[in-house]
Amino acid sequence: MFASGGYDHVVHLWDASRNVSRPSPTSLVIKHTSTVQSLLAIRDTSHKLISGGADCNVHIYDLSSERVVNTLKTSNSVYHIHEALSPFCALLEVAHRELQFEIRDRRLVPREAVQRFGYPSQTTHGRYIKGKIPCFPGQRIIQVVFDDARLVACSEDHELAYIHYRSGE
């Protein structure tokens, strides 16, 4: 299974178990009022899907009960959602000039992030923020995923780059 979201404001769950060449979609009852810009599948006490959008909403959807169990309202558009070390927190990349990153606790509905940080910038970069590691000359990186020993980047042309690193360095 995999999830997708986009300009239609809808999050779809796709099942490829019966036929890999023709997966079947199911629309989830997640209500975004603008583009769905990021999705993250997580497992804390159950399987959940987190969606973030240009409407400044982050919805936590429980796959087993098929409902939104929590909604976080951010002050800026959410570009990306990443896992954090705590199974109950998420790292959000948001549209802000100085504080582009927020750590949010998904168990609560706080008015503010647990932690906000970033770097000074004259403009909001948009969905594609400049990085320090060149992966794809002349192309934008549209998604980055981290694990214990590497970073996986996906380009706008759907190419993948695997960058190995050691945590703690």
Side-chain angles (χ1 to χ4, degrees), residues 34-54:
S34 190
T35 303
V36 178
Q37 298 188 136
S38 186
L39 295 167
L40 176 67
I42 55 131
R43 178 159 175 81
D44 50 19
T45 57
S46 65
H47 291 283
K48 293 182 176 74
L49 182 65
I50 303 174
S51 64

Side-chain angles (χ1 to χ4, degrees), residues 26-97:
T26 302
S27 297
L28 303 181
V29 293
I30 300 172
K31 304 292 184 206
H32 280 281
T33 58
S34 190
T35 303
V36 178
Q37 298 188 136
S38 186
L39 295 167
L40 176 67
I42 55 131
R43 178 159 175 81
D44 50 19
T45 57
S46 65
H47 291 283
K48 293 182 176 74
L49 182 65
I50 303 174
S51 64
D55 60 359
C56 303
N57 285 314
V58 175
H59 297 293
I60 295 98
Y61 181 84
D62 186 278
L63 292 165
S64 61
S65 65
E66 298 181 353
R67 66 184 183 94
V68 174
V69 293
N70 206 345
T71 297
L72 308 173
K73 185 75 175 159
T74 62
S75 60
N76 299 80
S77 177
V78 178
Y79 295 138
H80 295 289
I81 305 170
H82 303 281
E83 287 185 86
L85 290 177
S86 167
F88 299 105
C89 291
L91 173 66
L92 309 179
E93 290 182 46
V94 297
H96 195 274
R97 286 190 179 162

Side-chain angles (χ1 to χ4, degrees), residues 81-151:
I81 305 170
H82 303 281
E83 287 185 86
L85 290 177
S86 167
F88 299 105
C89 291
L91 173 66
L92 309 179
E93 290 182 46
V94 297
H96 195 274
R97 286 190 179 162
E98 293 88 23
L99 303 170
Q100 296 90 354
F101 304 95
E102 298 183 359
I103 297 177
R104 295 285 184 141
D105 188 331
R106 299 186 313 268
R107 297 169 292 185
L108 307 171
V109 185
R111 300 241 182 264
E112 297 178 13
V114 174
Q115 180 70 44
R116 293 183 80 183
F117 56 96
Y119 54 91
S121 176
Q122 295 300 316
T123 62
T124 301
H125 293 291
R127 185 166 158 81
Y128 308 103
I129 297 174
K130 283 190 166 192
K132 303 243 184 225
I133 302 171
C135 297
F136 310 104
Q139 292 185 45
R140 295 178 178 165
I141 295 174
I142 60 169
Q143 182 68 28
V144 177
V145 178
F146 299 91
D147 67 17
D148 291 334
R150 66 183 174 180
L151 173 140

